[in-house]
Amino acid sequence: MAEATGPARSQPATLSDVARLAGVSIATASKALNGRSQVRAETRQRVVEAAERLAFRPNQVARGLLAGRTGTVGLLTSDLEGRFSIPILMGAEDAFGAGEVAVFLCDARGDAIREQHHVRALLGRRVDGLIVVGSRTDPRPSLGRELPVPVVYAYAPSEDPEDLSIVPDSVGAGRLAVDHLLACGRTRIAHITGDPGYAASQERAEGARAALADAGLALVGEPGFGAWSEGWGRAATAMLLDRHPEVDAVLCGSDQIARGVMDMLRERGRRVPEDVAVMGFDNWRVLTSASRPPLTSVDMNLEQVGRAAAHALFTAIDGTRRSGVEALPCRVVIRGSTVPLS
């Protein structure tokens, strides 16, 4: 006689069916299938074998309820219209979508009181975790250690070293940019960048100096700190050419600045890239593609930052929490403004 494999059925097997076949209670079957430690190894094996024989597959909602989860997370940003926060949010949502997780998106608009209101509202909806996305790379206040769910900070790191923050490697990005210019044969490199109060400005300049020092070189003049604008790029380039006409490359702290730099170089009769190579930051395609020539730029891989933050939150929800600041590598997107010297 053939061995019985459970009742024939036209409907999918239920948890009750698994428990009945394994000879245990529904609660024990639930704990066994969700990896709870309160179940003996031989009991767990019996339940797993029963589930396999019945082709039992718990649906996502039931699985979440059994694990005490809602299958929802909160994405909290300070700048929903921002150039940098949107790609991070897109990357995070892509990762959450792959894991069949619903997302609540809230914009605090840079207001601490509004942010706290959103946090309370999200916790009231019993989200399983939070990702907090900043609008700049400067450290921001922590939401605190008393929250009942894990939190991951993206782009703007938390001031608390016990929190986990995922950020682009701004120092490494400065190194990458200078290494590219050196590979193009440039040795007289200047740096024009944005607001000195931004961590990104200082870190990129730090990386650029370090890469030049490794090559036995130094920046032409001091870094030109100013505004994140084309106007500043034009003004700073005029001053640079008056003081250092020998410059053969300009590393810019943003693509807007780089556009202004190229405008002034043309006005002064300098060809890009034949006389002076120009390189930007952020890889803002609206600007890089419309530039003439197209602008080489450093891409901060912001969607990858978002995906990494989402994966880190997944692991934290599962009980494996990390802490500290994790910096992800950036990349150089090469275009016509830095064609190597022939």
Side-chain angles (χ1 to χ4, degrees):
M1 180 180 292
E3 182 182 25
T5 58
R9 58 190 315 108
S10 58
Q11 298 296 320
T14 67
L15 184 63
S16 176
D17 297 326
V18 173
R20 187 180 306 110
L21 183 59
V24 298
S25 68
I26 294 176
T28 298
S30 168
K31 292 176 183 178
L33 293 175
N34 283 279
R36 301 292 180 84
S37 59
Q38 303 98 319
V39 182
R40 291 185 301 174
E42 57 269 27
T43 302
R44 187 189 314 280
Q45 183 62 32
R46 196 163 70 248
V47 172
V48 169
E49 289 176 355
E52 290 176 350
R53 289 166 62 184
L54 294 173
F56 172 71
R57 295 291 182 270
N59 63 44
Q60 291 294 331
V61 174
R63 186 160 20 196
L65 291 173
L66 290 172
R69 301 172 189 162
T70 61
T72 61
V73 298
L75 288 180
L76 181 61
T77 179
S78 295
D79 185 18
L80 191 54
E81 297 181 357
R83 161 72 183 86
F84 307 112
S85 58
I86 293 296
I88 295 171
L89 295 170
M90 290 174 60
E93 286 190 308
D94 284 347
F96 287 134
E100 300 183 12
V101 173
V103 178
F104 295 118
L105 177 60
C106 299
D107 182 11
R109 304 178 193 174
D111 186 320
I113 295 176
R114 186 185 295 268
E115 181 178 83
Q116 286 300 317
H117 165 74
H118 285 317
V119 170
R120 289 193 295 270
L122 290 167
L123 293 177
R125 289 178 175 270
R126 297 181 61 236
V127 294
D128 298 322
L130 297 170
I131 291 182
V132 180
V133 181
S135 59
R136 51 194 282 185
T137 60
D138 300 82
R140 53 146 292 147
S142 172
L143 293 181
R145 303 183 188 180
E146 305 305 317
L147 294 182
V149 297
V151 181
V152 176
Y153 297 81
Y155 197 62
S158 169
E159 293 175 346
D160 187 345
E162 292 302 311
D163 290 330
L164 175 63
S165 303
I166 310 291
V167 302
D169 183 359
S170 293
V171 176
R175 279 185 166 275
L176 278 176
V178 166
D179 285 343
H180 170 67
L181 292 172
L182 292 173
C184 292
R186 313 296 170 147
T187 58
R188 300 182 298 278
I189 302 170
H191 186 37
I192 297 174
T193 189
D195 189 334
Y198 276 57
S201 295
Q202 299 293 343
E203 291 168 354
R204 292 169 183 177
E206 177 188 342
R209 282 192 175 113
L212 284 167
D214 289 347
L217 300 170
L219 283 172
V220 172
E222 290 297 313
F225 292 101
W228 303 103
S229 68
E230 292 186 33
W232 167 240
R234 288 191 292 271
T237 303
M239 291 186 287
L240 173 66
L241 293 174
D242 288 342
R243 297 170 185 171
H244 301 283
E246 76 280 6
V247 66
D248 67 5
V250 181
L251 171 60
C252 305
S254 75
D255 296 331
Q256 294 105 310
I257 292 171
R259 288 281 293 266
V261 169
M262 289 198 289
D263 284 348
M264 182 53 63
L265 288 170
R266 276 192 296 269
E267 286 185 24
R268 293 292 187 92
R270 302 294 183 92
R271 299 170 301 165
V272 177
E274 291 83 359
D275 301 323
V276 182
V278 178
M279 189 169 181
F281 255 96
D282 304 331
N283 196 32
W284 194 356
R285 293 181 183 176
V286 171
L287 296 178
T288 58
S289 299
S291 297
R292 291 295 177 266
L295 179 65
T296 295
S297 188
V298 178
D299 191 309
M300 293 185 290
N301 286 333
L302 296 179
E303 288 195 25
Q304 179 58 34
V305 170
R307 284 191 289 271
H311 288 304
L313 189 63
F314 280 140
T315 60
I317 291 170
D318 284 338
T320 304
R321 299 199 186 193
R322 309 197 300 270
S323 62
V325 177
E326 298 182 5
L328 302 185
C330 303
R331 64 190 179 101
V332 173
V333 180
I334 302 172
R335 299 187 180 91
S337 66
T338 58
V339 173
L341 294 173
S342 57

